[in-house]
Amino acid sequence: MNWLKKDPGSIRSAPGLEWQIWRRLPAILAWGTALPGLWLAASWWASAGSPDLPHDPSSLRTEFILVGVIVLHWTLVLTLAIGCAIVLLMKGPRYEADPYPLPDADRPLD
């Protein structure tokens, strides 16, 4: 069963901003994770004195904020990727669905 059957009369729309964003998403994800991640690693390294001593509350707050920034960035990139995928599918060729005869059609089935 070929469930991705293209309509022979369909055309593709011209690519736009969605392809530029789609191609840059891996770099956006990598840089947006690496920069706060490096800052987070530096904060952990700076506050890793003795394991018996409690952490400074301001450094803990900074670490929690940086983890939140990283997770927020991932969700924003995922949302952007979903939006790009939707636009790519909408601009792509049209697909035909399998015929489905309705039982309550206006005319009877032959």
Side-chain angles (χ1 to χ4, degrees):
M1 177 172 101
N2 186 7
W3 54 284
L4 289 176
K5 188 169 70 170
K6 291 183 184 177
D7 185 16
S10 70
I11 58 170
R12 261 189 105 121
S13 298
L17 182 62
E18 73 277 357
W19 274 107
Q20 296 172 5
I21 295 172
W22 185 259
R23 287 188 191 115
R24 291 182 184 172
L25 276 179
I28 292 171
L29 181 67
W31 281 105
T33 303
L35 293 178
L38 289 174
W39 191 2
L40 181 62
S43 174
W44 279 339
W45 181 73
S47 66
S50 172
D52 298 334
L53 296 176
H55 285 287
D56 181 27
S58 64
S59 68
L60 276 177
R61 183 175 50 243
T62 302
E63 292 170 5
F64 285 138
I65 288 173
L66 288 171
V67 169
V69 165
I70 291 172
V71 172
L72 174 67
H73 179 72
W74 289 348
T75 58
L76 291 175
V77 170
L78 177 65
T79 305
L80 195 58
I82 291 171
C84 285
I86 289 172
V87 172
L88 288 173
L89 286 173
M90 290 176 67
K91 281 189 166 185
R94 189 173 51 207
Y95 291 98
E96 290 181 0
D98 292 332
Y100 180 73
L102 297 175
D104 60 344
D106 292 337
R107 54 188 173 89
L109 297 174
D110 296 51

XYZ file of all heavy atoms in Angstrom:
863
model
N 0.843 -1.169 0.000
C 0.000 0.000 0.000
C 0.896 1.241 0.000
O 1.740 1.422 0.864
C -0.885 -0.016 1.240
C -1.758 1.204 1.351
S -2.947 1.061 2.681
C -2.160 2.027 3.928
N 0.729 2.095 -0.976
C 1.485 3.330 -1.066
C 0.633 4.461 -0.506
O -0.250 4.973 -1.168
C 1.867 3.599 -2.524
C 2.776 4.793 -2.665
O 3.237 5.349 -1.680
N 3.021 5.198 -3.881
N 0.874 4.845 0.725
C 0.055 5.868 1.355
C 0.596 7.265 1.145
O 0.070 8.221 1.666
C -0.167 5.561 2.820
C 1.060 5.329 3.629
C 1.826 4.221 3.643
C 1.658 6.233 4.535
N 2.865 4.361 4.504
C 2.788 5.594 5.075
C 1.358 7.502 4.967
C 3.609 6.197 5.995
C 2.178 8.106 5.894
C 3.288 7.449 6.398
N 1.658 7.411 0.368
C 2.147 8.729 -0.029
C 2.142 8.819 -1.554
O 3.179 8.948 -2.187
C 3.546 8.984 0.525
C 3.639 9.210 2.020
C 5.085 9.355 2.457
C 2.852 10.432 2.440
N 0.943 8.730 -2.134
C 0.802 8.768 -3.588
C 0.592 10.215 -4.017
O -0.391 10.861 -3.637
C -0.380 7.887 -4.002
C -0.493 7.705 -5.489
C -1.503 6.626 -5.829
C -2.894 7.106 -5.506
N -3.945 6.243 -6.015
N 1.508 10.745 -4.849
C 1.421 12.136 -5.283
C 0.344 12.300 -6.341
O 0.144 11.443 -7.185
C 2.762 12.603 -5.848
C 3.847 12.726 -4.821
C 5.117 13.250 -5.442
C 6.221 13.287 -4.418
N 7.478 13.721 -4.981
N -0.328 13.440 -6.264
C -1.304 13.795 -7.276
C -0.533 14.225 -8.522
O 0.347 15.088 -8.437
C -2.188 14.923 -6.749
C -3.316 15.274 -7.678
O -3.617 14.468 -8.583
O -3.902 16.360 -7.493
N -0.828 13.640 -9.699
C -0.035 13.972 -10.884
C -0.167 15.423 -11.330
O 0.742 15.970 -11.950
C -0.558 13.018 -11.960
C -1.788 12.412 -11.423
C -1.822 12.618 -9.954
N -1.249 16.101 -11.007
C -1.428 17.479 -11.448
C -0.951 18.515 -10.454
O -1.123 19.706 -10.681
N -0.330 18.098 -9.369
C 0.065 19.064 -8.344
C 1.421 19.683 -8.653
O 2.236 19.117 -9.372
C 0.116 18.395 -6.976
O 1.198 17.496 -6.926
N 1.631 20.857 -8.100
C 2.905 21.566 -8.261
C 3.445 21.899 -6.886
O 2.712 21.959 -5.905
C 2.746 22.860 -9.096
C 1.732 23.796 -8.428
C 2.363 22.544 -10.514
C 1.685 25.165 -9.030
N 4.747 22.130 -6.837
C 5.389 22.563 -5.596
C 5.504 24.062 -5.583
O 5.811 24.677 -6.592
C 6.795 21.981 -5.521
C 6.900 20.762 -4.676
C 8.354 20.441 -4.510
N 8.751 20.815 -3.177
C 9.246 19.956 -2.309
N 9.452 18.731 -2.651
N 9.557 20.347 -1.112
N 5.280 24.656 -4.436
C 5.460 26.101 -4.301
C 6.946 26.410 -4.156
O 7.746 25.548 -3.792
C 4.704 26.620 -3.085
O 3.331 26.399 -3.235
N 7.296 27.640 -4.417
C 8.694 28.060 -4.323
C 9.166 28.025 -2.873
O 8.406 28.364 -1.966
C 8.855 29.465 -4.886
N 10.415 27.598 -2.651
C 10.914 27.586 -1.271
C 11.074 29.011 -0.751
O 11.349 29.938 -1.489
C 12.267 26.876 -1.382
C 12.663 27.018 -2.795
C 11.406 27.112 -3.602
N 10.901 29.137 0.540
C 10.986 30.455 1.156
C 11.858 30.437 2.391
O 12.865 29.721 2.468
N 11.455 31.196 3.377
C 12.213 31.342 4.615
C 12.296 30.038 5.391
O 13.253 29.809 6.125
C 11.564 32.437 5.464
C 12.215 32.785 6.782
C 13.623 33.320 6.559
C 11.377 33.793 7.531
N 11.296 29.155 5.217
C 11.278 27.908 5.990
C 12.481 27.023 5.680
O 13.003 26.351 6.566
C 9.970 27.146 5.770
C 9.823 26.483 4.435
C 9.339 27.416 3.340
O 9.061 28.588 3.609
O 9.240 26.949 2.195
N 12.959 27.011 4.435
C 14.139 26.194 4.098
C 15.407 26.780 4.705
O 16.301 26.050 5.130
C 14.294 26.063 2.584
C 13.489 24.942 2.032
C 12.346 25.038 1.298
C 13.736 23.546 2.195
N 11.874 23.793 0.997
C 12.709 22.853 1.534
C 14.713 22.814 2.845
C 12.642 21.471 1.494
C 14.639 21.435 2.794
C 13.625 20.778 2.130
N 15.501 28.103 4.739
C 16.675 28.729 5.356
C 16.715 28.416 6.846
O 17.779 28.092 7.383
C 16.641 30.240 5.142
C 16.746 30.651 3.700
C 16.504 32.136 3.516
O 16.353 32.884 4.472
N 16.446 32.567 2.267
N 15.573 28.490 7.502
C 15.514 28.181 8.928
C 15.775 26.695 9.152
O 16.512 26.314 10.065
C 14.157 28.604 9.516
C 13.997 30.117 9.452
C 14.002 28.116 10.952
C 12.624 30.611 9.837
N 15.162 25.833 8.326
C 15.303 24.378 8.468
C 16.771 23.958 8.376
O 17.229 23.095 9.121
C 14.468 23.686 7.400
C 14.436 22.212 7.508
C 15.148 21.325 6.766
C 13.652 21.419 8.405
N 14.853 20.051 7.142
C 13.936 20.071 8.141
C 12.734 21.730 9.392
C 13.341 19.040 8.839
C 12.134 20.699 10.078
C 12.444 19.370 9.805
N 17.513 24.571 7.448
C 18.931 24.223 7.281
C 19.786 24.729 8.441
O 20.836 24.156 8.733
C 19.455 24.793 5.975
C 18.937 24.060 4.777
C 19.612 24.527 3.503
N 18.905 24.000 2.365
C 18.270 24.732 1.480
N 18.266 26.053 1.588
N 17.633 24.181 0.469
N 19.385 25.797 9.083
C 20.165 26.369 10.185
C 19.799 25.800 11.548
O 20.472 26.099 12.538
C 19.983 27.879 10.222
C 20.615 28.573 9.046
C 20.455 30.050 9.155
N 20.980 30.699 7.964
C 20.848 31.968 7.701
N 20.207 32.739 8.556
N 21.336 32.488 6.618
N 18.736 25.014 11.631
C 18.292 24.518 12.932
C 19.339 23.701 13.680
O 19.489 23.885 14.891
C 17.001 23.711 12.777
C 15.720 24.526 12.747
C 14.519 23.607 12.576
C 15.552 25.354 13.978
N 20.094 22.800 13.032
C 21.118 22.077 13.803
C 22.171 23.004 14.417
O 22.574 22.817 15.573
C 21.743 21.130 12.778
C 20.695 20.942 11.743
C 19.958 22.240 11.679
N 22.604 24.005 13.670
C 23.590 24.949 14.211
C 22.976 25.800 15.320
O 23.630 26.079 16.337
C 24.127 25.848 13.100
N 21.730 26.206 15.138
C 21.044 26.989 16.178
C 20.923 26.171 17.452
O 21.170 26.667 18.559
C 19.663 27.454 15.673
C 19.816 28.488 14.560
C 18.819 28.011 16.808
C 18.517 28.836 13.857
N 20.567 24.880 17.303
C 20.448 24.011 18.474
C 21.804 23.811 19.151
O 21.917 23.879 20.376
C 19.859 22.663 18.063
C 19.661 21.651 19.177
C 18.599 22.120 20.143
C 19.297 20.299 18.614
N 22.836 23.574 18.341
C 24.165 23.325 18.910
C 24.712 24.562 19.636
O 25.184 24.459 20.773
C 25.122 22.879 17.817
N 24.666 25.718 18.980
C 25.213 26.924 19.597
C 24.383 27.371 20.802
O 24.922 27.827 21.809
C 25.306 28.067 18.586
C 26.482 27.929 17.691
C 26.482 27.549 16.394
C 27.846 28.149 18.043
N 27.760 27.518 15.906
C 28.622 27.886 16.895
C 28.499 28.536 19.203
C 30.004 27.999 16.888
C 29.874 28.654 19.190
C 30.608 28.387 18.048
N 23.066 27.228 20.689
C 22.204 27.632 21.789
C 22.312 26.723 22.998
O 21.942 27.107 24.105
N 22.798 25.504 22.786
C 23.034 24.597 23.906
C 24.455 24.750 24.434
O 24.683 24.689 25.642
C 22.791 23.142 23.468
O 21.460 23.040 22.957
C 22.945 22.181 24.619
N 25.407 24.944 23.526
C 26.814 24.991 23.920
C 27.158 26.241 24.736
O 27.893 26.146 25.729
C 27.704 24.921 22.686
N 26.648 27.387 24.344
C 27.028 28.620 25.049
C 26.546 28.641 26.502
O 27.367 28.853 27.415
C 26.525 29.838 24.270
C 27.201 30.050 22.907
C 26.594 31.239 22.193
C 28.698 30.211 23.063
N 25.264 28.398 26.774
C 24.889 28.317 28.195
C 25.492 27.096 28.881
O 25.754 27.126 30.087
C 23.361 28.222 28.180
C 22.935 28.625 26.833
C 24.065 28.367 25.924
N 25.727 26.021 28.118
C 26.342 24.825 28.706
C 27.761 25.081 29.163
O 28.180 24.579 30.219
N 28.517 25.840 28.393
C 29.878 26.200 28.815
C 29.854 27.093 30.052
O 30.670 26.942 30.962
C 30.616 26.886 27.667
C 31.001 25.985 26.496
C 31.584 26.809 25.366
C 31.982 24.923 26.951
N 28.922 28.026 30.073
C 28.781 28.896 31.240
C 28.381 28.069 32.461
O 28.885 28.277 33.569
C 27.751 29.962 30.929
C 27.668 31.101 31.907
C 28.442 31.284 33.019
C 26.775 32.187 31.871
N 28.077 32.416 33.664
C 27.049 33.005 32.979
C 25.765 32.574 31.016
C 26.344 34.159 33.247
C 25.072 33.734 31.278
C 25.365 34.505 32.381
N 27.492 27.092 32.254
C 27.076 26.206 33.338
C 28.241 25.355 33.830
O 28.434 25.175 35.039
C 25.921 25.326 32.866
C 25.318 24.353 33.849
C 24.708 25.101 35.024
C 24.269 23.505 33.158
N 29.041 24.832 32.910
C 30.205 24.028 33.300
C 31.212 24.873 34.079
O 31.798 24.402 35.065
C 30.855 23.421 32.063
N 31.409 26.118 33.640
C 32.320 27.005 34.367
C 31.785 27.316 35.768
O 32.548 27.368 36.732
C 32.522 28.295 33.583
N 30.479 27.482 35.880
C 29.887 27.746 37.194
C 30.025 26.527 38.107
O 30.305 26.672 39.296
C 28.414 28.121 37.021
O 27.782 28.255 38.253
N 29.800 25.330 37.559
C 29.972 24.118 38.356
C 31.420 23.946 38.785
O 31.717 23.556 39.894
C 29.527 22.887 37.570
C 28.056 22.659 37.567
C 27.140 23.140 38.440
C 27.331 21.871 36.628
N 25.885 22.719 38.105
C 25.969 21.933 37.001
C 27.680 21.127 35.511
C 24.975 21.273 36.292
C 26.683 20.478 34.810
C 25.354 20.551 35.204
N 32.343 24.216 37.859
C 33.760 24.044 38.162
C 34.209 25.050 39.229
O 35.000 24.724 40.111
C 34.585 24.202 36.891
C 36.031 24.006 37.114
C 36.683 22.845 37.351
C 37.022 25.032 37.130
N 38.013 23.073 37.510
C 38.263 24.407 37.380
C 36.993 26.408 36.951
C 39.433 25.136 37.464
C 38.163 27.125 37.029
C 39.376 26.475 37.290
N 33.671 26.268 39.150
C 34.071 27.296 40.110
C 33.506 27.020 41.509
O 34.123 27.378 42.511
C 33.610 28.668 39.631
N 32.345 26.393 41.571
C 31.730 26.162 42.881
C 31.985 24.754 43.410
O 31.387 24.370 44.413
C 30.217 26.403 42.793
O 29.624 25.440 41.955
N 32.869 24.009 42.776
C 33.133 22.624 43.205
C 34.318 22.585 44.149
O 35.319 21.937 43.895
C 33.383 21.746 41.988
N 34.192 23.254 45.270
C 35.269 23.243 46.257
C 35.336 21.892 46.943
O 35.881 20.933 46.437
N 34.766 21.788 48.093
C 34.707 20.538 48.837
C 33.288 19.985 48.736
O 32.321 20.736 48.803
C 35.069 20.807 50.298
O 34.833 19.655 51.064
N 33.150 18.677 48.593
C 31.798 18.118 48.511
C 31.014 18.259 49.819
O 29.795 18.154 49.820
C 32.018 16.642 48.172
C 33.452 16.369 48.346
C 34.182 17.671 48.403
N 31.703 18.519 50.928
C 31.019 18.667 52.207
C 30.402 20.053 52.377
O 29.439 20.212 53.124
C 31.985 18.414 53.362
C 32.542 16.997 53.329
O 31.849 16.114 52.776
O 33.644 16.787 53.852
N 30.961 21.038 51.700
C 30.470 22.406 51.851
C 29.224 22.621 50.997
O 29.146 22.130 49.873
C 31.548 23.407 51.429
C 32.821 23.419 52.273
C 33.837 24.376 51.678
C 32.489 23.835 53.706
N 28.248 23.359 51.515
C 27.066 23.651 50.686
C 27.416 24.654 49.591
O 28.342 25.463 49.731
C 26.069 24.236 51.678
C 26.905 24.762 52.790
C 28.128 23.890 52.861
N 26.675 24.593 48.525
C 26.895 25.535 47.424
C 26.387 26.922 47.802
O 25.481 27.073 48.606
C 26.150 25.067 46.167
C 26.810 23.918 45.488
N 27.967 24.028 44.770
C 26.455 22.613 45.408
C 28.302 22.861 44.272
N 27.409 21.975 44.653
N 26.982 27.903 47.182
C 26.550 29.279 47.352
C 25.160 29.429 46.711
O 24.949 28.987 45.584
C 27.564 30.202 46.669
C 27.212 31.655 46.817
O 26.550 32.005 47.809
O 27.584 32.440 45.920
N 24.203 30.048 47.392
C 22.854 30.168 46.817
C 22.820 30.936 45.500
O 22.046 30.610 44.616
C 22.057 30.903 47.898
C 22.785 30.653 49.155
C 24.228 30.503 48.779
N 23.670 31.930 45.350
C 23.659 32.687 44.089
C 24.197 31.832 42.935
O 23.707 31.934 41.809
C 24.462 33.975 44.224
O 25.822 33.688 44.460
N 25.193 30.986 43.203
C 25.693 30.123 42.132
C 24.672 29.029 41.796
O 24.529 28.656 40.628
C 27.034 29.500 42.511
O 26.883 28.584 43.563
N 23.963 28.536 42.816
C 22.894 27.566 42.545
C 21.793 28.195 41.701
O 21.270 27.570 40.779
C 22.307 27.045 43.850
C 23.041 25.896 44.520
C 22.378 25.541 45.831
C 23.092 24.699 43.615
N 21.428 29.433 42.016
C 20.410 30.129 41.231
C 20.872 30.308 39.791
O 20.110 30.079 38.844
C 20.075 31.470 41.875
C 18.966 32.210 41.150
C 18.537 33.499 41.849
N 19.664 34.354 42.199
C 19.988 34.680 43.456
N 19.287 34.219 44.456
N 21.022 35.460 43.694
N 22.145 30.666 39.622
C 22.689 30.813 38.271
C 22.650 29.485 37.526
O 22.285 29.444 36.341
C 24.140 31.335 38.348
O 24.158 32.570 39.050
C 24.729 31.515 36.976
N 22.999 28.398 38.192
C 22.979 27.089 37.542
C 21.563 26.685 37.160
O 21.335 26.173 36.058
C 23.617 26.050 38.461
C 25.104 26.256 38.646
C 25.700 25.394 39.743
O 24.976 24.551 40.301
O 26.894 25.574 40.028
N 20.605 26.922 38.033
C 19.212 26.590 37.711
C 18.699 27.442 36.552
O 17.972 26.949 35.686
C 18.305 26.771 38.926
C 18.446 25.683 39.951
C 18.473 25.995 41.296
C 18.559 24.355 39.579
C 18.594 24.999 42.252
C 18.674 23.350 40.522
C 18.701 23.666 41.859
N 19.059 28.703 36.534
C 18.639 29.577 35.435
C 19.244 29.094 34.120
O 18.564 29.066 33.085
C 19.015 31.046 35.734
C 18.111 31.594 36.837
C 18.912 31.911 34.490
C 18.508 32.971 37.336
N 20.517 28.703 34.144
C 21.151 28.232 32.910
C 20.548 26.927 32.422
O 20.368 26.737 31.216
C 22.663 28.089 33.123
C 23.414 29.409 33.233
C 24.853 29.163 33.659
C 23.361 30.161 31.922
N 20.217 26.030 33.323
C 19.538 24.793 32.916
C 18.170 25.136 32.324
O 17.762 24.568 31.300
C 19.407 23.814 34.102
C 18.474 22.671 33.770
C 20.770 23.282 34.497
N 17.472 26.079 32.919
C 16.185 26.514 32.380
C 16.317 27.160 31.015
O 15.473 26.947 30.136
N 17.375 27.941 30.813
C 17.609 28.569 29.507
C 17.867 27.496 28.448
O 17.361 27.592 27.318
C 18.784 29.575 29.592
C 19.288 29.969 28.221
C 18.366 30.803 30.369
N 18.634 26.473 28.795
C 18.914 25.402 27.837
C 17.633 24.654 27.475
O 17.357 24.412 26.293
C 19.988 24.448 28.406
C 21.339 25.156 28.459
C 20.088 23.181 27.565
C 22.416 24.374 29.187
N 16.825 24.305 28.463
C 15.580 23.582 28.190
C 14.608 24.458 27.402
O 13.946 23.985 26.469
C 14.953 23.071 29.505
C 13.573 22.499 29.272
C 15.858 22.034 30.145
N 14.524 25.745 27.741
C 13.684 26.666 26.990
C 14.149 26.752 25.540
O 13.345 26.751 24.612
C 13.689 28.052 27.636
C 12.951 29.147 26.857
C 11.460 28.862 26.838
C 13.241 30.503 27.450
N 15.451 26.811 25.337
C 15.990 26.879 23.978
C 15.621 25.626 23.188
O 15.247 25.714 22.020
C 17.511 27.065 24.036
C 18.140 27.112 22.689
N 17.996 28.176 21.844
C 18.891 26.203 22.022
C 18.648 27.933 20.725
N 19.191 26.738 20.816
N 15.722 24.454 23.820
C 15.352 23.211 23.130
C 13.883 23.227 22.727
O 13.535 22.813 21.619
C 15.626 22.008 24.018
C 17.065 21.690 24.217
C 18.131 22.187 23.535
C 17.598 20.792 25.186
N 19.297 21.666 24.026
C 18.997 20.804 25.040
C 17.035 20.003 26.172
C 19.825 20.022 25.832
C 17.860 19.227 26.955
C 19.239 19.239 26.789
N 13.016 23.697 23.613
C 11.596 23.720 23.267
C 11.302 24.728 22.159
O 10.470 24.478 21.293
C 10.736 24.029 24.496
O 11.127 25.281 25.048
C 10.853 22.943 25.539
N 12.003 25.851 22.171
C 11.806 26.833 21.098
C 12.293 26.287 19.758
O 11.640 26.492 18.731
C 12.526 28.142 21.445
C 11.944 28.938 22.601
C 12.822 30.145 22.912
C 10.526 29.364 22.305
N 13.431 25.594 19.760
C 13.932 25.009 18.512
C 12.989 23.913 18.030
O 12.719 23.811 16.832
C 15.378 24.490 18.698
C 15.823 23.660 17.513
C 16.329 25.657 18.896
N 12.469 23.100 18.942
C 11.520 22.066 18.553
C 10.247 22.679 17.976
O 9.730 22.206 16.960
C 11.174 21.185 19.753
C 10.132 20.099 19.502
C 10.664 19.069 18.512
C 9.732 19.436 20.800
N 9.749 23.749 18.587
C 8.569 24.428 18.068
C 8.832 25.012 16.692
O 7.997 24.912 15.783
C 8.131 25.543 19.038
O 7.936 24.984 20.329
C 6.877 26.222 18.570
N 9.997 25.591 16.502
C 10.375 26.131 15.204
C 10.503 25.029 14.159
O 10.089 25.197 13.010
C 11.691 26.904 15.336
C 12.097 27.838 14.226
C 11.033 28.897 14.003
C 13.414 28.494 14.566
N 11.049 23.881 14.549
C 11.165 22.757 13.622
C 9.791 22.228 13.226
O 9.569 21.892 12.052
C 12.000 21.644 14.248
N 8.866 22.149 14.172
C 7.514 21.698 13.851
C 6.846 22.685 12.894
O 6.191 22.283 11.926
C 6.690 21.515 15.138
C 7.216 20.323 15.924
C 5.206 21.329 14.826
C 6.617 20.192 17.318
N 7.014 23.966 13.143
C 6.452 24.979 12.240
C 7.036 24.892 10.848
O 6.302 24.985 9.852
N 8.350 24.710 10.748
C 8.988 24.567 9.432
C 8.487 23.314 8.722
O 8.236 23.332 7.512
C 10.502 24.511 9.568
S 11.276 26.073 9.922
N 8.337 22.210 9.458
C 7.862 20.972 8.851
C 6.435 21.138 8.337
O 6.103 20.640 7.247
C 7.940 19.830 9.861
N 5.595 21.836 9.066
C 4.223 22.061 8.612
C 4.216 22.895 7.338
O 3.506 22.583 6.369
C 3.395 22.720 9.728
C 3.144 21.727 10.848
C 2.078 23.273 9.193
C 2.509 22.331 12.081
N 5.025 23.951 7.289
C 5.071 24.792 6.090
C 5.652 24.004 4.918
O 5.169 24.114 3.787
C 5.882 26.082 6.359
C 6.114 26.866 5.086
C 5.159 26.941 7.377
N 6.669 23.186 5.163
C 7.240 22.367 4.092
C 6.200 21.398 3.535
O 6.116 21.204 2.317
C 8.454 21.592 4.604
C 9.708 22.398 4.871
C 10.766 21.530 5.537
C 10.248 22.994 3.596
N 5.420 20.778 4.402
C 4.380 19.866 3.931
C 3.276 20.600 3.177
O 2.764 20.097 2.184
C 3.776 19.106 5.115
C 4.642 18.014 5.705
C 3.996 17.458 6.962
C 4.867 16.911 4.694
N 2.937 21.786 3.638
C 1.870 22.531 2.970
C 2.314 23.062 1.614
O 1.503 23.174 0.695
C 1.402 23.679 3.858
C 0.656 23.204 5.082
S 0.207 24.535 6.184
C -0.973 25.416 5.213
N 3.595 23.390 1.454
C 4.088 23.893 0.180
C 4.475 22.784 -0.789
O 4.688 23.030 -1.953
C 5.316 24.790 0.404
C 4.981 26.164 0.869
C 6.234 27.004 0.848
C 5.923 28.459 0.983
N 7.127 29.276 0.852
N 4.593 21.572 -0.287
C 5.027 20.464 -1.120
C 3.953 20.016 -2.086
O 2.896 20.627 -2.208
N 4.200 18.925 -2.801
C 3.184 18.430 -3.734
C 1.965 17.892 -2.988
O 2.043 17.507 -1.827
C 3.910 17.317 -4.489
C 4.995 16.892 -3.588
C 5.399 18.103 -2.798
N 0.856 17.881 -3.686
C -0.388 17.384 -3.105
C -0.401 15.862 -3.161
O 0.072 15.254 -4.113
C -1.558 17.966 -3.891
C -2.898 17.710 -3.285
C -3.975 18.459 -4.008
N -3.887 18.208 -5.442
C -4.303 19.048 -6.368
N -4.816 20.196 -6.023
N -4.191 18.760 -7.637
N -0.938 15.244 -2.151
C -1.018 13.786 -2.090
C -2.479 13.357 -2.156
O -3.364 14.059 -1.684
C -0.379 13.257 -0.804
C 1.112 13.436 -0.769
C 1.689 14.504 -0.105
C 1.946 12.548 -1.415
C 3.053 14.674 -0.082
C 3.316 12.699 -1.391
C 3.859 13.768 -0.728
O 5.210 13.935 -0.708
N -2.696 12.188 -2.743
C -4.033 11.623 -2.832
C -4.257 10.654 -1.682
O -3.363 9.893 -1.322
C -4.208 10.862 -4.148
C -4.250 11.737 -5.367
C -4.445 10.926 -6.627
O -4.548 9.685 -6.543
O -4.482 11.538 -7.688
N -5.444 10.678 -1.171
C -5.802 9.735 -0.119
C -6.470 8.518 -0.751
O -6.926 8.552 -1.890
C -6.741 10.396 0.871
N -6.534 7.449 -0.003
C -7.241 6.267 -0.480
C -8.731 6.577 -0.535
O -9.265 7.267 0.333
C -7.014 5.084 0.466
C -5.585 4.592 0.436
O -4.937 4.763 -0.618
O -5.125 4.038 1.443
N -9.426 6.053 -1.560
C -10.871 6.313 -1.619
C -11.582 5.585 -0.481
O -11.234 4.465 -0.125
C -11.270 5.759 -2.984
C -10.224 4.778 -3.333
C -8.958 5.262 -2.687
N -12.546 6.259 0.056
C -13.311 5.685 1.155
C -14.782 5.861 0.829
O -15.313 6.971 0.910
C -12.960 6.384 2.465
C -13.695 5.850 3.664
C -13.377 4.611 4.204
C -14.735 6.571 4.242
C -14.054 4.115 5.289
C -15.416 6.091 5.329
C -15.070 4.853 5.855
O -15.749 4.367 6.934
N -15.466 4.769 0.457
C -16.893 4.909 0.127
C -17.710 5.147 1.395
O -17.587 4.429 2.386
C -17.240 3.570 -0.516
C -16.223 2.619 0.001
C -14.977 3.417 0.264
N -18.518 6.174 1.360
C -19.342 6.513 2.513
C -20.618 5.668 2.505
O -21.268 5.519 1.468
C -19.712 7.988 2.491
C -18.531 8.952 2.602
C -19.013 10.379 2.433
C -17.854 8.781 3.939
N -20.991 5.126 3.645
C -22.197 4.282 3.668
C -23.485 5.086 3.491
O -24.479 4.564 3.038
C -22.145 3.617 5.044
C -21.266 4.466 5.857
C -20.318 5.134 4.925
N -23.471 6.362 3.819
C -24.688 7.172 3.700
C -24.574 8.149 2.531
O -25.051 9.274 2.605
C -24.967 7.906 4.998
C -23.837 8.834 5.395
O -22.735 8.681 4.831
O -24.048 9.715 6.239
N -23.988 7.714 1.453
C -23.821 8.568 0.287
C -25.174 8.838 -0.369
O -26.147 8.093 -0.166
C -22.871 7.923 -0.713
N -25.237 9.897 -1.172
C -26.486 10.256 -1.831
C -26.907 9.233 -2.884
O -28.081 9.037 -3.138
C -26.361 11.641 -2.497
C -26.236 12.734 -1.446
O -26.681 12.491 -0.318
O -25.693 13.792 -1.766
N -25.950 8.611 -3.516
C -26.303 7.588 -4.508
C -25.754 6.263 -4.017
O -24.705 6.192 -3.358
C -25.734 7.938 -5.877
C -24.268 8.191 -5.920
C -23.861 8.719 -7.297
N -22.482 9.121 -7.273
C -21.457 8.317 -7.542
N -21.684 7.073 -7.885
N -20.228 8.755 -7.496
N -26.433 5.172 -4.310
C -25.969 3.870 -3.825
C -24.697 3.410 -4.519
O -24.371 3.859 -5.624
C -27.135 2.932 -4.138
C -27.901 3.621 -5.204
C -27.670 5.088 -5.040
N -23.965 2.551 -3.857
C -22.743 1.992 -4.431
C -23.094 1.026 -5.559
O -24.090 0.306 -5.499
C -21.931 1.266 -3.359
C -21.408 2.116 -2.220
C -20.762 1.238 -1.181
C -20.422 3.130 -2.749
N -22.301 0.967 -6.580
C -22.529 0.026 -7.700
C -21.879 -1.292 -7.414
O -20.910 -1.470 -6.832
C -21.986 0.619 -8.986
C -22.744 1.880 -9.364
O -22.885 2.783 -8.518
O -23.166 1.933 -10.495
